[in-house]
Amino acid sequence: MKGIGVLSLQGAVREHLRMIERAGAHGVIIKKPHELSNIDGLIIPGGESTTISKLMAKYGLIKPIKDLAQGGLPIFGTCAGMILMAKGLIGPAEESLSIMDIEVRRNAFGRQKESFEAEIEVAGLEGGPFNAVFIRAPWIERVGEGVEVLAELDSHIVMAKEKSLLAAAFHPELTEDMRIHELFLKMI
């Protein structure tokens, strides 16, 4: 059985673990660098990107995760996770992983009270549109040459893939639809 780590410093950790188990893999809580050694993939959840960034630095997780990404470990970032994966950031600077060739605008769709759900078409996802939950959501302003755009909303990129890296501006873990997590598991 595949072991999928979920960075468990802050955010929607429990929800991702539940989706991983439902999709037939084993969820592994990741809080310290040594816990990264036996996983087949890693999810960086949504939450407060600044808080997650500070905690990653405090617990010495940034370099080990960057090394794993360079080595080809599949990594999936949702919302704040996508912000932390981006090489470029529009908005206040913070220490990040800088592993994916995308430029992200923080809180692009507005503040918490402007959160919403929308049906989006995701490339490679069978079974019709995905009901995506956007909470203080970012969007992707620019993608590099090797990045595949998987979904857009109102002409803004909200999901993309680069080799073994997957990023979504929304929260698939807050729905009952497992297709996005299954898509990530197929990358492993």
Side-chain angles (χ1 to χ4, degrees), residues 113-151:
K113 66 182 180 183
E114 290 145 345
S115 300
F116 61 96
E117 297 180 25
E119 300 282 317
I120 59 170
E121 294 287 342
V122 178
L125 202 65
E126 296 178 359
F130 186 86
N131 185 48
V133 178
F134 292 85
I135 302 171
R136 293 182 56 204
W139 68 50
I140 299 172
E141 285 277 345
R142 181 199 59 78
V143 297
E145 278 186 26
V147 178
E148 178 186 1
V149 174
L150 299 182

PDB file of all heavy atoms in Angstrom, residues 113-151:
ATOM      1  N   LYS A 113     -14.562  35.953   3.536  1.00  0.00           N
ATOM      2  CA  LYS A 113     -16.005  36.111   3.343  1.00  0.00           C
ATOM      3  C   LYS A 113     -16.395  36.003   1.869  1.00  0.00           C
ATOM      4  O   LYS A 113     -17.556  35.859   1.547  1.00  0.00           O
ATOM      5  CB  LYS A 113     -16.489  37.432   3.935  1.00  0.00           C
ATOM      6  CG  LYS A 113     -15.941  38.662   3.241  1.00  0.00           C
ATOM      7  CD  LYS A 113     -16.437  39.918   3.917  1.00  0.00           C
ATOM      8  CE  LYS A 113     -15.873  41.133   3.188  1.00  0.00           C
ATOM      9  NZ  LYS A 113     -16.254  42.384   3.813  1.00  0.00           N
ATOM     10  N   GLU A 114     -15.395  36.090   0.980  1.00  0.00           N
ATOM     11  CA  GLU A 114     -15.673  35.951  -0.444  1.00  0.00           C
ATOM     12  C   GLU A 114     -15.391  34.532  -0.950  1.00  0.00           C
ATOM     13  O   GLU A 114     -15.286  34.305  -2.148  1.00  0.00           O
ATOM     14  CB  GLU A 114     -14.848  36.976  -1.228  1.00  0.00           C
ATOM     15  CG  GLU A 114     -15.343  38.384  -0.991  1.00  0.00           C
ATOM     16  CD  GLU A 114     -14.241  39.433  -0.968  1.00  0.00           C
ATOM     17  OE1 GLU A 114     -13.062  39.090  -0.862  1.00  0.00           O
ATOM     18  OE2 GLU A 114     -14.603  40.606  -1.051  1.00  0.00           O
ATOM     19  N   SER A 115     -15.274  33.581  -0.033  1.00  0.00           N
ATOM     20  CA  SER A 115     -15.060  32.185  -0.409  1.00  0.00           C
ATOM     21  C   SER A 115     -16.285  31.658  -1.147  1.00  0.00           C
ATOM     22  O   SER A 115     -17.401  32.126  -0.933  1.00  0.00           O
ATOM     23  CB  SER A 115     -14.793  31.345   0.842  1.00  0.00           C
ATOM     24  OG  SER A 115     -13.642  31.834   1.505  1.00  0.00           O
ATOM     25  N   PHE A 116     -16.064  30.669  -2.015  1.00  0.00           N
ATOM     26  CA  PHE A 116     -17.159  30.185  -2.855  1.00  0.00           C
ATOM     27  C   PHE A 116     -16.862  28.780  -3.363  1.00  0.00           C
ATOM     28  O   PHE A 116     -15.752  28.271  -3.204  1.00  0.00           O
ATOM     29  CB  PHE A 116     -17.362  31.132  -4.053  1.00  0.00           C
ATOM     30  CG  PHE A 116     -16.144  31.218  -4.944  1.00  0.00           C
ATOM     31  CD1 PHE A 116     -16.047  30.435  -6.087  1.00  0.00           C
ATOM     32  CD2 PHE A 116     -15.098  32.072  -4.644  1.00  0.00           C
ATOM     33  CE1 PHE A 116     -14.933  30.508  -6.914  1.00  0.00           C
ATOM     34  CE2 PHE A 116     -13.971  32.139  -5.450  1.00  0.00           C
ATOM     35  CZ  PHE A 116     -13.888  31.366  -6.587  1.00  0.00           C
ATOM     36  N   GLU A 117     -17.874  28.171  -3.973  1.00  0.00           N
ATOM     37  CA  GLU A 117     -17.705  26.900  -4.658  1.00  0.00           C
ATOM     38  C   GLU A 117     -18.013  27.115  -6.132  1.00  0.00           C
ATOM     39  O   GLU A 117     -18.837  27.952  -6.477  1.00  0.00           O
ATOM     40  CB  GLU A 117     -18.650  25.835  -4.088  1.00  0.00           C
ATOM     41  CG  GLU A 117     -18.369  25.514  -2.633  1.00  0.00           C
ATOM     42  CD  GLU A 117     -19.310  24.449  -2.081  1.00  0.00           C
ATOM     43  OE1 GLU A 117     -19.835  23.632  -2.876  1.00  0.00           O
ATOM     44  OE2 GLU A 117     -19.520  24.454  -0.857  1.00  0.00           O
ATOM     45  N   ALA A 118     -17.339  26.355  -6.991  1.00  0.00           N
ATOM     46  CA  ALA A 118     -17.574  26.480  -8.429  1.00  0.00           C
ATOM     47  C   ALA A 118     -17.324  25.133  -9.105  1.00  0.00           C
ATOM     48  O   ALA A 118     -16.469  24.362  -8.671  1.00  0.00           O
ATOM     49  CB  ALA A 118     -16.658  27.546  -9.027  1.00  0.00           C
ATOM     50  N   GLU A 119     -18.087  24.878 -10.150  1.00  0.00           N
ATOM     51  CA  GLU A 119     -17.873  23.678 -10.967  1.00  0.00           C
ATOM     52  C   GLU A 119     -16.762  23.998 -11.960  1.00  0.00           C
ATOM     53  O   GLU A 119     -16.869  24.971 -12.716  1.00  0.00           O
ATOM     54  CB  GLU A 119     -19.157  23.324 -11.720  1.00  0.00           C
ATOM     55  CG  GLU A 119     -20.346  23.035 -10.822  1.00  0.00           C
ATOM     56  CD  GLU A 119     -20.279  21.646 -10.225  1.00  0.00           C
ATOM     57  OE1 GLU A 119     -19.944  20.701 -10.962  1.00  0.00           O
ATOM     58  OE2 GLU A 119     -20.554  21.511  -9.018  1.00  0.00           O
ATOM     59  N   ILE A 120     -15.712  23.186 -11.961  1.00  0.00           N
ATOM     60  CA  ILE A 120     -14.617  23.409 -12.911  1.00  0.00           C
ATOM     61  C   ILE A 120     -14.334  22.120 -13.673  1.00  0.00           C
ATOM     62  O   ILE A 120     -14.534  21.020 -13.163  1.00  0.00           O
ATOM     63  CB  ILE A 120     -13.327  23.893 -12.202  1.00  0.00           C
ATOM     64  CG1 ILE A 120     -12.847  22.871 -11.167  1.00  0.00           C
ATOM     65  CG2 ILE A 120     -13.553  25.253 -11.552  1.00  0.00           C
ATOM     66  CD1 ILE A 120     -11.470  23.170 -10.611  1.00  0.00           C
ATOM     67  N   GLU A 121     -13.882  22.290 -14.902  1.00  0.00           N
ATOM     68  CA  GLU A 121     -13.435  21.154 -15.708  1.00  0.00           C
ATOM     69  C   GLU A 121     -11.944  20.967 -15.446  1.00  0.00           C
ATOM     70  O   GLU A 121     -11.176  21.925 -15.544  1.00  0.00           O
ATOM     71  CB  GLU A 121     -13.664  21.431 -17.201  1.00  0.00           C
ATOM     72  CG  GLU A 121     -15.127  21.544 -17.599  1.00  0.00           C
ATOM     73  CD  GLU A 121     -15.839  20.195 -17.605  1.00  0.00           C
ATOM     74  OE1 GLU A 121     -15.151  19.146 -17.640  1.00  0.00           O
ATOM     75  OE2 GLU A 121     -17.088  20.197 -17.565  1.00  0.00           O
ATOM     76  N   VAL A 122     -11.557  19.747 -15.120  1.00  0.00           N
ATOM     77  CA  VAL A 122     -10.152  19.433 -14.859  1.00  0.00           C
ATOM     78  C   VAL A 122      -9.666  18.472 -15.935  1.00  0.00           C
ATOM     79  O   VAL A 122     -10.252  17.399 -16.116  1.00  0.00           O
ATOM     80  CB  VAL A 122      -9.966  18.801 -13.459  1.00  0.00           C
ATOM     81  CG1 VAL A 122      -8.502  18.438 -13.229  1.00  0.00           C
ATOM     82  CG2 VAL A 122     -10.475  19.746 -12.374  1.00  0.00           C
ATOM     83  N   ALA A 123      -8.601  18.850 -16.647  1.00  0.00           N
ATOM     84  CA  ALA A 123      -8.049  17.997 -17.699  1.00  0.00           C
ATOM     85  C   ALA A 123      -7.639  16.647 -17.112  1.00  0.00           C
ATOM     86  O   ALA A 123      -7.009  16.583 -16.062  1.00  0.00           O
ATOM     87  CB  ALA A 123      -6.833  18.681 -18.330  1.00  0.00           C
ATOM     88  N   GLY A 124      -8.054  15.581 -17.766  1.00  0.00           N
ATOM     89  CA  GLY A 124      -7.689  14.232 -17.325  1.00  0.00           C
ATOM     90  C   GLY A 124      -8.588  13.656 -16.261  1.00  0.00           C
ATOM     91  O   GLY A 124      -8.397  12.516 -15.830  1.00  0.00           O
ATOM     92  N   LEU A 125      -9.583  14.416 -15.834  1.00  0.00           N
ATOM     93  CA  LEU A 125     -10.499  13.950 -14.789  1.00  0.00           C
ATOM     94  C   LEU A 125     -11.799  13.506 -15.447  1.00  0.00           C
ATOM     95  O   LEU A 125     -12.489  14.324 -16.059  1.00  0.00           O
ATOM     96  CB  LEU A 125     -10.762  15.085 -13.800  1.00  0.00           C
ATOM     97  CG  LEU A 125     -11.243  14.682 -12.415  1.00  0.00           C
ATOM     98  CD1 LEU A 125     -10.167  13.898 -11.681  1.00  0.00           C
ATOM     99  CD2 LEU A 125     -11.614  15.918 -11.614  1.00  0.00           C
ATOM    100  N   GLU A 126     -12.111  12.220 -15.320  1.00  0.00           N
ATOM    101  CA  GLU A 126     -13.340  11.683 -15.921  1.00  0.00           C
ATOM    102  C   GLU A 126     -14.513  11.869 -14.968  1.00  0.00           C
ATOM    103  O   GLU A 126     -14.336  12.035 -13.776  1.00  0.00           O
ATOM    104  CB  GLU A 126     -13.139  10.200 -16.247  1.00  0.00           C
ATOM    105  CG  GLU A 126     -12.063   9.974 -17.284  1.00  0.00           C
ATOM    106  CD  GLU A 126     -11.843   8.491 -17.578  1.00  0.00           C
ATOM    107  OE1 GLU A 126     -12.510   7.656 -16.962  1.00  0.00           O
ATOM    108  OE2 GLU A 126     -10.990   8.204 -18.428  1.00  0.00           O
ATOM    109  N   GLY A 127     -15.706  11.858 -15.525  1.00  0.00           N
ATOM    110  CA  GLY A 127     -16.895  11.897 -14.696  1.00  0.00           C
ATOM    111  C   GLY A 127     -17.531  13.267 -14.557  1.00  0.00           C
ATOM    112  O   GLY A 127     -18.372  13.477 -13.691  1.00  0.00           O
ATOM    113  N   GLY A 128     -17.124  14.219 -15.387  1.00  0.00           N
ATOM    114  CA  GLY A 128     -17.770  15.529 -15.367  1.00  0.00           C
ATOM    115  C   GLY A 128     -17.036  16.545 -14.508  1.00  0.00           C
ATOM    116  O   GLY A 128     -15.958  16.277 -13.990  1.00  0.00           O
ATOM    117  N   PRO A 129     -17.623  17.747 -14.364  1.00  0.00           N
ATOM    118  CA  PRO A 129     -16.970  18.832 -13.622  1.00  0.00           C
ATOM    119  C   PRO A 129     -16.730  18.464 -12.157  1.00  0.00           C
ATOM    120  O   PRO A 129     -17.422  17.621 -11.589  1.00  0.00           O
ATOM    121  CB  PRO A 129     -17.961  19.987 -13.726  1.00  0.00           C
ATOM    122  CG  PRO A 129     -18.901  19.629 -14.804  1.00  0.00           C
ATOM    123  CD  PRO A 129     -18.918  18.139 -14.908  1.00  0.00           C
ATOM    124  N   PHE A 130     -15.756  19.150 -11.559  1.00  0.00           N
ATOM    125  CA  PHE A 130     -15.426  18.962 -10.145  1.00  0.00           C
ATOM    126  C   PHE A 130     -15.941  20.165  -9.369  1.00  0.00           C
ATOM    127  O   PHE A 130     -15.697  21.305  -9.752  1.00  0.00           O
ATOM    128  CB  PHE A 130     -13.905  18.837  -9.978  1.00  0.00           C
ATOM    129  CG  PHE A 130     -13.482  18.489  -8.584  1.00  0.00           C
ATOM    130  CD1 PHE A 130     -13.430  17.162  -8.188  1.00  0.00           C
ATOM    131  CD2 PHE A 130     -13.156  19.480  -7.670  1.00  0.00           C
ATOM    132  CE1 PHE A 130     -13.042  16.827  -6.889  1.00  0.00           C
ATOM    133  CE2 PHE A 130     -12.776  19.149  -6.382  1.00  0.00           C
ATOM    134  CZ  PHE A 130     -12.719  17.826  -5.991  1.00  0.00           C
ATOM    135  N   ASN A 131     -16.656  19.904  -8.272  1.00  0.00           N
ATOM    136  CA  ASN A 131     -17.154  20.997  -7.433  1.00  0.00           C
ATOM    137  C   ASN A 131     -16.023  21.462  -6.516  1.00  0.00           C
ATOM    138  O   ASN A 131     -15.727  20.828  -5.511  1.00  0.00           O
ATOM    139  CB  ASN A 131     -18.367  20.544  -6.608  1.00  0.00           C
ATOM    140  CG  ASN A 131     -18.960  21.700  -5.830  1.00  0.00           C
ATOM    141  OD1 ASN A 131     -19.184  22.769  -6.386  1.00  0.00           O
ATOM    142  ND2 ASN A 131     -19.197  21.502  -4.556  1.00  0.00           N
ATOM    143  N   ALA A 132     -15.382  22.564  -6.886  1.00  0.00           N
ATOM    144  CA  ALA A 132     -14.197  23.031  -6.181  1.00  0.00           C
ATOM    145  C   ALA A 132     -14.557  24.062  -5.115  1.00  0.00           C
ATOM    146  O   ALA A 132     -15.357  24.960  -5.364  1.00  0.00           O
ATOM    147  CB  ALA A 132     -13.203  23.637  -7.178  1.00  0.00           C
ATOM    148  N   VAL A 133     -13.943  23.929  -3.928  1.00  0.00           N
ATOM    149  CA  VAL A 133     -14.155  24.840  -2.809  1.00  0.00           C
ATOM    150  C   VAL A 133     -12.976  25.810  -2.737  1.00  0.00           C
ATOM    151  O   VAL A 133     -11.833  25.397  -2.536  1.00  0.00           O
ATOM    152  CB  VAL A 133     -14.274  24.056  -1.482  1.00  0.00           C
ATOM    153  CG1 VAL A 133     -14.444  25.015  -0.308  1.00  0.00           C
ATOM    154  CG2 VAL A 133     -15.420  23.044  -1.546  1.00  0.00           C
ATOM    155  N   PHE A 134     -13.260  27.104  -2.912  1.00  0.00           N
ATOM    156  CA  PHE A 134     -12.224  28.136  -2.900  1.00  0.00           C
ATOM    157  C   PHE A 134     -12.359  28.962  -1.614  1.00  0.00           C
ATOM    158  O   PHE A 134     -13.406  29.564  -1.382  1.00  0.00           O
ATOM    159  CB  PHE A 134     -12.373  29.063  -4.109  1.00  0.00           C
ATOM    160  CG  PHE A 134     -12.086  28.398  -5.429  1.00  0.00           C
ATOM    161  CD1 PHE A 134     -13.071  27.684  -6.106  1.00  0.00           C
ATOM    162  CD2 PHE A 134     -10.818  28.479  -5.991  1.00  0.00           C
ATOM    163  CE1 PHE A 134     -12.801  27.078  -7.325  1.00  0.00           C
ATOM    164  CE2 PHE A 134     -10.537  27.887  -7.217  1.00  0.00           C
ATOM    165  CZ  PHE A 134     -11.525  27.176  -7.880  1.00  0.00           C
ATOM    166  N   ILE A 135     -11.301  28.972  -0.789  1.00  0.00           N
ATOM    167  CA  ILE A 135     -11.297  29.724   0.472  1.00  0.00           C
ATOM    168  C   ILE A 135     -10.068  30.632   0.483  1.00  0.00           C
ATOM    169  O   ILE A 135      -8.944  30.138   0.520  1.00  0.00           O
ATOM    170  CB  ILE A 135     -11.269  28.775   1.690  1.00  0.00           C
ATOM    171  CG1 ILE A 135     -12.474  27.827   1.658  1.00  0.00           C
ATOM    172  CG2 ILE A 135     -11.231  29.585   2.997  1.00  0.00           C
ATOM    173  CD1 ILE A 135     -12.423  26.730   2.692  1.00  0.00           C
ATOM    174  N   ARG A 136     -10.291  31.935   0.447  1.00  0.00           N
ATOM    175  CA  ARG A 136      -9.158  32.888   0.344  1.00  0.00           C
ATOM    176  C   ARG A 136      -8.161  32.394  -0.695  1.00  0.00           C
ATOM    177  O   ARG A 136      -6.950  32.384  -0.470  1.00  0.00           O
ATOM    178  CB  ARG A 136      -8.460  33.053   1.699  1.00  0.00           C
ATOM    179  CG  ARG A 136      -9.297  33.724   2.747  1.00  0.00           C
ATOM    180  CD  ARG A 136      -8.558  33.900   4.042  1.00  0.00           C
ATOM    181  NE  ARG A 136      -7.312  34.630   3.843  1.00  0.00           N
ATOM    182  CZ  ARG A 136      -6.258  34.552   4.653  1.00  0.00           C
ATOM    183  NH1 ARG A 136      -6.289  33.778   5.703  1.00  0.00           N
ATOM    184  NH2 ARG A 136      -5.196  35.260   4.413  1.00  0.00           N
ATOM    185  N   ALA A 137      -8.698  32.005  -1.830  1.00  0.00           N
ATOM    186  CA  ALA A 137      -7.913  31.230  -2.793  1.00  0.00           C
ATOM    187  C   ALA A 137      -6.952  32.079  -3.614  1.00  0.00           C
ATOM    188  O   ALA A 137      -7.283  33.183  -4.036  1.00  0.00           O
ATOM    189  CB  ALA A 137      -8.855  30.477  -3.722  1.00  0.00           C
ATOM    190  N   PRO A 138      -5.782  31.511  -3.864  1.00  0.00           N
ATOM    191  CA  PRO A 138      -4.846  32.119  -4.808  1.00  0.00           C
ATOM    192  C   PRO A 138      -5.216  31.697  -6.227  1.00  0.00           C
ATOM    193  O   PRO A 138      -6.091  30.846  -6.417  1.00  0.00           O
ATOM    194  CB  PRO A 138      -3.510  31.491  -4.406  1.00  0.00           C
ATOM    195  CG  PRO A 138      -3.892  30.126  -3.913  1.00  0.00           C
ATOM    196  CD  PRO A 138      -5.242  30.281  -3.269  1.00  0.00           C
ATOM    197  N   TRP A 139      -4.578  32.285  -7.219  1.00  0.00           N
ATOM    198  CA  TRP A 139      -4.583  31.720  -8.557  1.00  0.00           C
ATOM    199  C   TRP A 139      -3.175  31.797  -9.109  1.00  0.00           C
ATOM    200  O   TRP A 139      -2.317  32.480  -8.539  1.00  0.00           O
ATOM    201  CB  TRP A 139      -5.619  32.359  -9.469  1.00  0.00           C
ATOM    202  CG  TRP A 139      -5.429  33.796  -9.882  1.00  0.00           C
ATOM    203  CD1 TRP A 139      -4.314  34.388 -10.406  1.00  0.00           C
ATOM    204  CD2 TRP A 139      -6.421  34.829  -9.821  1.00  0.00           C
ATOM    205  NE1 TRP A 139      -4.541  35.709 -10.665  1.00  0.00           N
ATOM    206  CE2 TRP A 139      -5.832  36.014 -10.322  1.00  0.00           C
ATOM    207  CE3 TRP A 139      -7.747  34.864  -9.407  1.00  0.00           C
ATOM    208  CZ2 TRP A 139      -6.523  37.212 -10.400  1.00  0.00           C
ATOM    209  CZ3 TRP A 139      -8.435  36.061  -9.493  1.00  0.00           C
ATOM    210  CH2 TRP A 139      -7.824  37.210  -9.981  1.00  0.00           C
ATOM    211  N   ILE A 140      -2.960  31.117 -10.219  1.00  0.00           N
ATOM    212  CA  ILE A 140      -1.635  31.087 -10.831  1.00  0.00           C
ATOM    213  C   ILE A 140      -1.593  32.145 -11.927  1.00  0.00           C
ATOM    214  O   ILE A 140      -2.376  32.088 -12.877  1.00  0.00           O
ATOM    215  CB  ILE A 140      -1.321  29.686 -11.400  1.00  0.00           C
ATOM    216  CG1 ILE A 140      -1.338  28.639 -10.273  1.00  0.00           C
ATOM    217  CG2 ILE A 140       0.035  29.690 -12.102  1.00  0.00           C
ATOM    218  CD1 ILE A 140      -1.231  27.203 -10.755  1.00  0.00           C
ATOM    219  N   GLU A 141      -0.684  33.094 -11.788  1.00  0.00           N
ATOM    220  CA  GLU A 141      -0.548  34.174 -12.769  1.00  0.00           C
ATOM    221  C   GLU A 141       0.250  33.743 -13.998  1.00  0.00           C
ATOM    222  O   GLU A 141      -0.006  34.184 -15.105  1.00  0.00           O
ATOM    223  CB  GLU A 141       0.187  35.359 -12.122  1.00  0.00           C
ATOM    224  CG  GLU A 141      -0.642  36.151 -11.160  1.00  0.00           C
ATOM    225  CD  GLU A 141      -1.521  37.192 -11.847  1.00  0.00           C
ATOM    226  OE1 GLU A 141      -1.302  37.497 -13.023  1.00  0.00           O
ATOM    227  OE2 GLU A 141      -2.434  37.695 -11.190  1.00  0.00           O
ATOM    228  N   ARG A 142       1.277  32.913 -13.763  1.00  0.00           N
ATOM    229  CA  ARG A 142       2.182  32.536 -14.846  1.00  0.00           C
ATOM    230  C   ARG A 142       2.663  31.121 -14.623  1.00  0.00           C
ATOM    231  O   ARG A 142       2.877  30.718 -13.479  1.00  0.00           O
ATOM    232  CB  ARG A 142       3.382  33.489 -14.853  1.00  0.00           C
ATOM    233  CG  ARG A 142       4.413  33.251 -15.925  1.00  0.00           C
ATOM    234  CD  ARG A 142       5.748  33.902 -15.594  1.00  0.00           C
ATOM    235  NE  ARG A 142       6.319  33.434 -14.339  1.00  0.00           N
ATOM    236  CZ  ARG A 142       6.947  32.259 -14.184  1.00  0.00           C
ATOM    237  NH1 ARG A 142       7.061  31.427 -15.188  1.00  0.00           N
ATOM    238  NH2 ARG A 142       7.442  31.915 -13.004  1.00  0.00           N
ATOM    239  N   VAL A 143       2.797  30.380 -15.722  1.00  0.00           N
ATOM    240  CA  VAL A 143       3.376  29.041 -15.621  1.00  0.00           C
ATOM    241  C   VAL A 143       4.610  28.976 -16.510  1.00  0.00           C
ATOM    242  O   VAL A 143       4.689  29.637 -17.544  1.00  0.00           O
ATOM    243  CB  VAL A 143       2.378  27.929 -16.032  1.00  0.00           C
ATOM    244  CG1 VAL A 143       1.174  27.910 -15.106  1.00  0.00           C
ATOM    245  CG2 VAL A 143       1.943  28.081 -17.474  1.00  0.00           C
ATOM    246  N   GLY A 144       5.586  28.181 -16.122  1.00  0.00           N
ATOM    247  CA  GLY A 144       6.776  27.958 -16.918  1.00  0.00           C
ATOM    248  C   GLY A 144       6.492  26.999 -18.073  1.00  0.00           C
ATOM    249  O   GLY A 144       5.401  26.427 -18.163  1.00  0.00           O
ATOM    250  N   GLU A 145       7.485  26.823 -18.929  1.00  0.00           N
ATOM    251  CA  GLU A 145       7.305  26.008 -20.135  1.00  0.00           C
ATOM    252  C   GLU A 145       6.899  24.576 -19.850  1.00  0.00           C
ATOM    253  O   GLU A 145       6.121  23.985 -20.583  1.00  0.00           O
ATOM    254  CB  GLU A 145       8.606  26.003 -20.959  1.00  0.00           C
ATOM    255  CG  GLU A 145       8.766  27.211 -21.836  1.00  0.00           C
ATOM    256  CD  GLU A 145       9.990  27.101 -22.726  1.00  0.00           C
ATOM    257  OE1 GLU A 145      10.420  25.983 -23.031  1.00  0.00           O
ATOM    258  OE2 GLU A 145      10.510  28.167 -23.099  1.00  0.00           O
ATOM    259  N   GLY A 146       7.429  23.999 -18.799  1.00  0.00           N
ATOM    260  CA  GLY A 146       7.158  22.587 -18.509  1.00  0.00           C
ATOM    261  C   GLY A 146       5.921  22.347 -17.675  1.00  0.00           C
ATOM    262  O   GLY A 146       5.679  21.229 -17.226  1.00  0.00           O
ATOM    263  N   VAL A 147       5.132  23.384 -17.461  1.00  0.00           N
ATOM    264  CA  VAL A 147       3.958  23.253 -16.597  1.00  0.00           C
ATOM    265  C   VAL A 147       2.697  23.081 -17.444  1.00  0.00           C
ATOM    266  O   VAL A 147       2.456  23.838 -18.387  1.00  0.00           O
ATOM    267  CB  VAL A 147       3.813  24.490 -15.683  1.00  0.00           C
ATOM    268  CG1 VAL A 147       2.558  24.374 -14.823  1.00  0.00           C
ATOM    269  CG2 VAL A 147       5.048  24.645 -14.814  1.00  0.00           C
ATOM    270  N   GLU A 148       1.903  22.077 -17.100  1.00  0.00           N
ATOM    271  CA  GLU A 148       0.641  21.802 -17.795  1.00  0.00           C
ATOM    272  C   GLU A 148      -0.521  22.405 -16.993  1.00  0.00           C
ATOM    273  O   GLU A 148      -0.672  22.113 -15.804  1.00  0.00           O
ATOM    274  CB  GLU A 148       0.465  20.282 -17.913  1.00  0.00           C
ATOM    275  CG  GLU A 148      -0.807  19.850 -18.570  1.00  0.00           C
ATOM    276  CD  GLU A 148      -0.995  18.333 -18.538  1.00  0.00           C
ATOM    277  OE1 GLU A 148      -0.141  17.616 -17.995  1.00  0.00           O
ATOM    278  OE2 GLU A 148      -2.022  17.873 -19.058  1.00  0.00           O
ATOM    279  N   VAL A 149      -1.298  23.243 -17.646  1.00  0.00           N
ATOM    280  CA  VAL A 149      -2.482  23.812 -16.987  1.00  0.00           C
ATOM    281  C   VAL A 149      -3.604  22.781 -17.018  1.00  0.00           C
ATOM    282  O   VAL A 149      -3.979  22.287 -18.082  1.00  0.00           O
ATOM    283  CB  VAL A 149      -2.925  25.115 -17.689  1.00  0.00           C
ATOM    284  CG1 VAL A 149      -4.234  25.627 -17.093  1.00  0.00           C
ATOM    285  CG2 VAL A 149      -1.841  26.175 -17.579  1.00  0.00           C
ATOM    286  N   LEU A 150      -4.130  22.435 -15.854  1.00  0.00           N
ATOM    287  CA  LEU A 150      -5.183  21.413 -15.769  1.00  0.00           C
ATOM    288  C   LEU A 150      -6.578  22.008 -15.613  1.00  0.00           C
ATOM    289  O   LEU A 150      -7.561  21.372 -15.986  1.00  0.00           O
ATOM    290  CB  LEU A 150      -4.906  20.467 -14.599  1.00  0.00           C
ATOM    291  CG  LEU A 150      -3.609  19.660 -14.645  1.00  0.00           C
ATOM    292  CD1 LEU A 150      -3.511  18.745 -13.424  1.00  0.00           C
ATOM    293  CD2 LEU A 150      -3.513  18.848 -15.927  1.00  0.00           C
ATOM    294  N   ALA A 151      -6.683  23.199 -15.033  1.00  0.00           N
ATOM    295  CA  ALA A 151      -8.010  23.793 -14.838  1.00  0.00           C
ATOM    296  C   ALA A 151      -7.905  25.308 -14.732  1.00  0.00           C
ATOM    297  O   ALA A 151      -6.925  25.841 -14.204  1.00  0.00           O
ATOM    298  CB  ALA A 151      -8.665  23.240 -13.575  1.00  0.00           C
TER     299      ALA A 151
END
